[in-house]
């Protein structure tokens, strides 16, 4: 399939490369001409503008927007809508707020344009590992796009199949790493909660390692002080422990490079999904104690840093290339 990809940053560029590697055509555009030319050198069709992209896409055209949530995505989708034709498809693969998806889908439908929201997880590792995707949109359009999603997804891999899953009762795509979550907005809603859970998991690791490191404190009786090796603890927990995970893998990598994590200040950024998840919990009257505490811990980290906060920054940099809030 041929797809226009707008936004060639940490994830957008690698999404394009994974598509091209598996036989799809990509028309690429970014405000950075250097990013466009770099992708063109890898086989993409360069576009100098959205108008230029329009002329290089098939009919119906498929436009994939991979930009920061908020203004950049909103403005770009509005611009594409003015250029798109009846039957075209606009995909938002960023981290947009799901209520914006619901609104956009209704507005675009009035123009005959289909809208699909794709919550995308995989970070800077997606080119190699594939992307876990949670997709919102009408069934006919999502099914039409399936060759694209199947290419981007991790696939079955070597993960042990879940005991008890009955093939006739479940979506077979889930085992490949992507699902059609529901109507427009559902994809980003599932991804939003995914990121809220991510905050909680990361905070649990951060607090645990803070406690481990604090055991060497001079405030404790001398015979109760332990000078523990953080790197080795992270490594041993990766192997057979019930708390092993990709986040722990990234923790181990960060500590192996520098046990003191001196490249990080501990001022932990957030991209909004944690707050949106808490907002949704409040709307639904669902207690979210752990997720709320994890979000507040990130706010606190910007004025009072701990070793655990540095660990959070190390994990965020590890999976997504995210940088800290400048001091």
């Amino acid at each position: 399939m041929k797809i226009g990809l707008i936004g060639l940053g940490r994830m957008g560029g690698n999404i394009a490369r994974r598509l091209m590697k598996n036989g799809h055509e990509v028309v690429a555009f970014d405000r950075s001409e250097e990013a466009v030319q770099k992708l063109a050198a890898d086989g993409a069709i360069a576009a100098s503008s959205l108008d230029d992209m329009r002329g290089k896409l098939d009919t119906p055209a498929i436009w994939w927007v991979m930009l920061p949530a908020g203004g950049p995505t909103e403005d770009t989708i509005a611009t594409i809508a003015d250029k798109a034709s009846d039957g075209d498809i606009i995909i938002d693969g960023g981290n947009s707020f799901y209520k914006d998806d619901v609104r956009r889908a209704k507005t675009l439908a009035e123009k005959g344009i289909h809208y699909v929201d794709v919550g995308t997880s995989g970070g800077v590792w997606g080119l190699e590992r594939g992307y876990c995707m949670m997709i919102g949109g009408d069934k006919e359009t999502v099914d039409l796009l399936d060759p694209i999603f199947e290419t981007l997804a991790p696939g079955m891999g070597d993960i042990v199949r879940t005991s008890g899953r009955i093939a006739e009762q479940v979506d077979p795509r889930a085992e490949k790493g992507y699902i059609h979550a529901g109507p427009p907005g559902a994809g980003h809603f599932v991804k939003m909660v995914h990121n809220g859970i991510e905050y909680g998991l990361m905070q649990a690791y951060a607090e645990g390692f803070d406690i481990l490191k604090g055991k060497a404190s001079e405030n404790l009786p001398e015979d109760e002080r332990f000078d523990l090796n953080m790197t080795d603890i992270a490594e041993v927990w990766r192997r057979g422990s019930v708390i092993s995970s990709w986040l722990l893998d990234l923790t181990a990598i960060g500590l192996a490079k520098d046990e003191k994590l001196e490249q990080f200040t501990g001022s932990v950024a957030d991209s909004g999904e944690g707050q949106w998840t808490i907002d949704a919990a409040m709307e639904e009257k669902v207690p979210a104690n752990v997720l709320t505490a994890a979000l507040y811990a990130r706010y606190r980290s910007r004025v009072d840093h701990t070793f655990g906060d540095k660990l959070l920054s190390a994990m965020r940099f590890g999976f997504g290339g995210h940088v800290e809030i400048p001091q």
Side-chain angles (χ1 to χ4, degrees):
M1 300 183 77
K2 181 181 281 189
I3 182 169
L5 211 151
I6 303 101
L8 309 177
R10 290 189 301 266
M11 289 183 67
N14 280 345
I15 284 174
R17 291 181 178 92
R18 189 171 174 91
L19 287 170
M20 292 187 296
K21 182 180 178 182
N22 290 277
H24 297 278
E25 291 184 277
V26 172
V27 182
F29 173 69
D30 191 281
R31 288 185 302 176
S32 166
E33 185 177 346
E34 181 183 357
V36 175
Q37 293 308 316
K38 187 178 294 186
L39 200 63
D42 290 337
I45 302 167
S48 59
S49 66
L50 292 178
D51 281 320
D52 186 34
M53 177 176 281
R54 166 67 269 185
K56 294 177 177 178
L57 292 174
D58 292 338
T59 301
I62 303 171
W63 313 72
W64 183 308
V65 179
M66 204 68 193
L67 295 170
T73 293
E74 194 74 45
D75 294 345
T76 301
I77 289 177
T79 301
I80 292 172
D82 289 338
K83 305 176 186 304
S85 302
D86 183 73
D88 280 5
I89 301 168
I90 297 177
I91 303 168
D92 176 10
N95 280 326
S96 288
F97 185 42
Y98 76 97
K99 291 185 180 181
D100 290 336
D101 294 315
V102 174
R103 169 179 51 79
R104 287 181 199 142
K106 291 178 180 177
T107 301
L108 292 171
E110 294 173 358
K111 300 181 178 183
I113 301 169
H114 303 284
Y115 181 82
V116 175
D117 54 289
V118 182
T120 311
S121 181
V124 296
W125 299 73
L127 175 59
E128 176 185 346
R129 293 170 56 114
Y131 299 90
C132 172
M133 291 169 291
M134 298 133 270
I135 304 159
D138 68 87
K139 184 180 185 305
E140 183 178 357
T141 303
V142 173
D143 287 349
L144 176 68
L145 298 171
D146 192 73
I148 290 173
F149 299 138
E150 186 167 21
T151 293
L152 292 175
M156 295 287 290
D158 57 1
I159 297 174
V160 176
R161 302 188 77 173
T162 302
S163 176
R165 277 181 68 89
I166 301 173
E168 294 76 15
Q169 299 177 1
V170 296
D171 186 344
R173 293 172 292 191
E175 288 189 309
K176 298 178 182 179
Y178 67 110
I179 59 169
H180 180 198
H188 276 148
F189 182 78
V190 175
K191 176 57 162 53
M192 177 192 79
V193 177
H194 162 285
N195 283 20
I197 292 170
E198 177 188 292
Y199 282 32
L201 293 172
M202 292 171 69
Q203 186 63 28
Y205 285 124
E207 292 177 7
F209 277 90
D210 255 344
I211 296 167
L212 292 169
K213 189 171 180 61
K215 196 58 177 169
S217 171
E218 294 182 357
N219 296 325
L220 296 173
E222 186 173 356
D223 61 352
E224 294 181 12
R225 297 176 202 164
F226 305 146
D227 186 12
L228 301 168
N229 187 308
M230 302 294 107
T231 303
D232 285 349
I233 291 170
E235 186 63 29
V236 75
W237 282 352
R238 290 182 61 215
R239 302 180 183 278
S241 164
V242 73
I243 63 168
S244 60
S245 71
W246 186 25
L247 290 172
L248 184 58
D249 294 345
L250 296 172
T251 296
I253 291 170
L255 290 170
K257 291 179 179 177
D258 173 18
E259 189 174 14
K260 295 183 179 180
L261 301 175
E262 290 182 330
Q263 79 175 92
F264 302 102
T265 66
S267 182
V268 187
D270 73 275
S271 52
E273 296 92 341
Q275 179 179 330
W276 298 341
T277 302
I278 304 310
D279 290 342
M282 293 177 67
E283 288 179 359
E284 299 167 19
K285 297 181 173 57
V286 174
N289 302 330
V290 171
L291 307 191
T292 303
L295 176 64
Y296 287 168
R298 293 198 179 192
Y299 295 160
R300 186 266 310 142
S301 77
R302 297 164 198 173
V303 294
D304 178 27
H305 316 311
T306 69
F307 178 78
D309 296 330
K310 290 185 178 184
L311 200 64
L312 289 175
S313 289
M315 281 187 270
R316 295 186 81 247
F317 183 78
F319 66 70
H322 302 297
V323 297
E324 296 178 312
I325 292 179
Q327 297 298 292

